[in-house]
Amino acid sequence: MIQIIKGDITQIKADAIVNAANNSLMGGGGVDGAIHKAGGPAILEDCKKILARQGGCRTGEAVITTAGNLPAGYVIHTVGPVWNGGKNGEPELLYHCYQNALKLARDHQCKTIAFPNISTGVYRFPKPLAAETAHRSIRDFLESSEHRISEVIIVCFDDENYQINREIV
Ligand code: AR6
């Protein structure tokens, strides 16, 4: 089941919440900044270990850390594509972000997972295409994979994403 809500993902008590990170995993602005700020230094400590082990996170891929002080169980960090006109595989990379985050959630026995609208802030991905891609990826995963995920929450921070996402479900 896909649920659309408007709010701040740092407040969501899901088994996992997803962060729209960057390749360095060292934090940033937007939802990334909000998650590190609310979750505390334990999240960055885990990210540093991943950076040392595998040099960060590639665009379209995902890694998992503690959620520190957040009410969620884990934070899954994925790196969305920077929008550059759409001819550089941006939709496919965004599709992979959702797939790879969901695979990690499944592998950690999560039942509930919350996503922000990945790439639609600083990375400038057009919101309608991002929403369509996100919903398609989530639906494909829920239908095709063996998993215990019963609820996927899309947490929209801005009104525009909220309206667009509500129209798709
Ligand atoms: N809860 C849910 N959604 C939020 C929150 C929040 N607390 N705060 C912002 N958003 P962005 P990107 C929404 O820019 O485009 C960072 O600096 C926001 O309205 O956070 O993937 C990273 O380190 C927007 O719809 O992520 C990267 O460098 C959505 O989150 C870069 O930004 C994504 O906006 C990633 O850019």
Side-chain angles (χ1 to χ4, degrees):
M1 183 191 137
I2 303 180
Q3 206 195 331
I4 312 299
I5 66 167
K6 188 159 186 291
D8 175 355
I9 203 164
T10 65
Q11 312 276 310
I12 305 292
K13 204 176 156 187
D15 293 330
I17 64 166
V18 177
N19 182 20
N22 58 57
N23 299 118
S24 79
L25 298 174
M26 289 298 101
V31 68
D32 195 7
I35 286 173
H36 281 283
K37 187 169 176 217
I43 300 176
L44 194 61
E45 287 309 311
D46 273 4
C47 287
K48 282 181 183 162
K49 287 181 198 151
I50 295 165
L51 182 65
R53 196 169 64 228
Q54 64 180 58
C57 183
R58 286 191 183 152
T59 304
E61 299 195 346
V63 299
I64 191 164
T65 68
T66 177
N69 302 326
L70 295 172
Y74 298 101
V75 176
I76 294 173
H77 307 257
T78 187
V79 183
V82 177
W83 181 260
N84 236 316
K87 294 197 174 127
N88 302 289
E90 294 94 330
E92 202 179 341
L93 287 165
L94 188 63
Y95 183 93
H96 286 305
C97 287
Y98 285 88
Q99 292 285 308
N100 287 324
L102 286 162
K103 280 181 196 162
L104 273 180
R106 174 196 64 197
D107 295 347
H108 288 77
Q109 281 77 44
C110 295
K111 296 196 179 89
T112 56
I113 177 170
F115 283 95
N117 303 115
I118 300 164
S119 283
T120 66
V122 175
Y123 284 178
R124 305 183 318 271
F125 202 107
K127 290 175 181 176
L129 181 58
E132 187 271 317
T133 306
H135 286 246
R136 185 162 50 83
S137 183
I138 294 166
R139 276 199 305 266
D140 287 353
F141 183 87
L142 294 179
E143 283 165 17
S144 69
S145 172
E146 285 258 325
H147 59 79
R148 295 184 193 174
I149 297 169
S150 55
E151 192 171 19
V152 179
I153 307 162
I154 299 179
V155 184
C156 303
F157 195 67
D158 56 277
D159 283 327
E160 198 185 349
N161 265 317
Y162 183 58
Q163 296 306 334
I164 290 166
N165 277 270
R166 271 178 51 125
E167 277 167 25
I168 293 178
V169 161

